[in-house]
């Protein structure tokens, strides 16, 4: 199956694109876009991969669903375009960066600058119906994004994985903690951030690890 995705990922994931579940998934997604309001825009479904090639990945941040409000989802987990109000979980992420690194909280919620530096901002499910959280779960996306993590875990080492919340932690269970840095905490959602997301120091820990691996730190 021909999938419009960044070349290094296309090479790594080509076998996945030919599997029966993925063919069925794409058929489902095409029908949904034809009949419903779906986010993100079709050309941005694989944007996390397009912005961060396979060999450039230094950090992986795992989300769950794309945002389901108009104009929010842009293909990168937790991110919104500048000019869109910053969602609560992202506000809390910025608060933790401010506390951890002393960086000013940005006016906009675009995380493109992270992706450009090697941060793969990966949702488990890559599409969603407007105003219906979880509406595209259990259709095949999770199997696909599990395969993405498995490929990284098998072929790359020295990567930092941010696993925020129990869902991300289950999804990250296949990652080798001896050859990568796995950082776990509660989710940055307002419902759970005060239970240990705030004060987790993940951004400093990530940069210290990257430096120890001979990589440039992320300008968070």
């Amino acid at each position: 199956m021909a999938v419009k995705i960044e070349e290094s990922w296309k090479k790594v994931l080509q076998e996945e694109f030919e599997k029966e579940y993925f063919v069925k998934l794409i058929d489902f997604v095409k029908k949904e876009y034809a009949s419903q309001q779906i986010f993100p825009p079709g050309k941005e479904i694989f944007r996390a991969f397009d912005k961060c090639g396979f060999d450039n990945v230094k950090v992986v941040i795992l989300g769950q669903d794309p945002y389901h409000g108009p104009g929010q989802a842009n293909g990168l987990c937790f991110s919104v375009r500048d000019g869109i109000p910053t969602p609560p979980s992202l506000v809390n992420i910025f608060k933790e960066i401010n506390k951890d690194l002393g960086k000013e909280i940005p006016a906009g919620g675009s995380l493109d600058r992270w992706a450009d530096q090697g941060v793969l901002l990966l949702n488990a499910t890559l599409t969603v119906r407007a105003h219906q959280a979880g509406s595209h779960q259990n259709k095949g996306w999770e199997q696909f994004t599990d395969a993405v993590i498995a490929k990284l875990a098998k072929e790359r080492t020295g990567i930092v994985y941010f696993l925020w919340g129990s869902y991300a932690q289950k999804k990250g269970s296949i990652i080798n903690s001896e050859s990568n840095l796995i950082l776990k905490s509660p989710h940055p959602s307002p419902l759970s951030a005060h239970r240990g997301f705030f004060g987790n120091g993940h951004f400093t820990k990530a940069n210290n690890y990257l430096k120890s691996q001979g990589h440039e730190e992320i300008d968070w």
Side-chain angles (χ1 to χ4, degrees), residues 161-203:
Y161 292 85
F162 288 168
L163 306 182
W164 296 332
S166 58
Y167 184 89
Q169 286 161 23
K170 284 177 196 160
K171 200 166 179 67
S173 62
I174 60 167
I175 303 159
N176 185 341
S177 60
E178 292 182 13
S179 53
N180 300 279
L181 178 64
I182 299 174
L183 296 172
K184 298 179 182 180
S185 83
H187 194 275
S189 156
L191 298 172
S192 56
H194 293 279
R195 296 204 296 263
F197 176 79
F198 289 133
N200 65 23
H202 280 184
F203 301 96

Side-chain angles (χ1 to χ4, degrees), residues 6-143:
E6 191 269 343
E7 278 303 316
S8 64
W9 284 107
K10 182 179 280 191
K11 187 177 175 183
V12 167
L13 296 170
Q14 192 58 55
E15 286 183 15
E16 212 62 29
F17 297 148
E18 304 303 327
K19 290 182 180 177
E20 185 180 357
Y21 88 87
F22 191 85
V23 175
K24 286 182 179 176
L25 167 65
I26 295 304
D27 183 56
F28 164 77
V29 168
K30 283 179 178 176
K31 287 174 180 171
E32 284 286 285
Y33 273 92
S35 62
Q36 306 286 335
Q37 187 179 18
I38 305 298
F39 299 128
K43 66 181 187 299
E44 296 185 340
I45 293 173
F46 295 109
R47 191 161 173 263
F49 303 93
D50 296 337
K51 293 285 287 178
C52 183
F54 182 79
D55 296 318
N56 298 329
V57 176
K58 297 194 286 190
V59 177
V60 177
I61 299 180
L62 287 177
Q64 192 162 352
D65 254 16
Y67 296 123
H68 53 82
Q72 288 184 301
N74 67 0
L76 308 179
C77 74
F78 293 108
S79 176
V80 292
R81 288 177 188 77
D82 287 332
I84 300 290
T86 306
S89 290
L90 185 54
V91 168
N92 287 339
I93 291 169
F94 288 155
K95 283 180 180 176
E96 176 56 24
I97 291 171
N98 172 259
K99 182 180 178 183
D100 188 14
L101 299 172
K103 293 180 70 72
E104 282 189 32
I105 293 175
S110 170
L111 302 181
D112 280 34
R113 65 188 185 281
W114 293 5
D116 290 337
Q117 296 176 78
V119 182
L120 180 65
L121 294 156
L122 181 66
N123 276 315
T125 304
L126 300 188
T127 54
V128 69
R129 278 191 187 184
H131 311 298
Q132 295 184 45
S135 49
H136 283 189
Q137 290 177 5
N138 302 314
K139 303 295 184 183
W141 279 131
E142 295 91 341
Q143 187 173 342

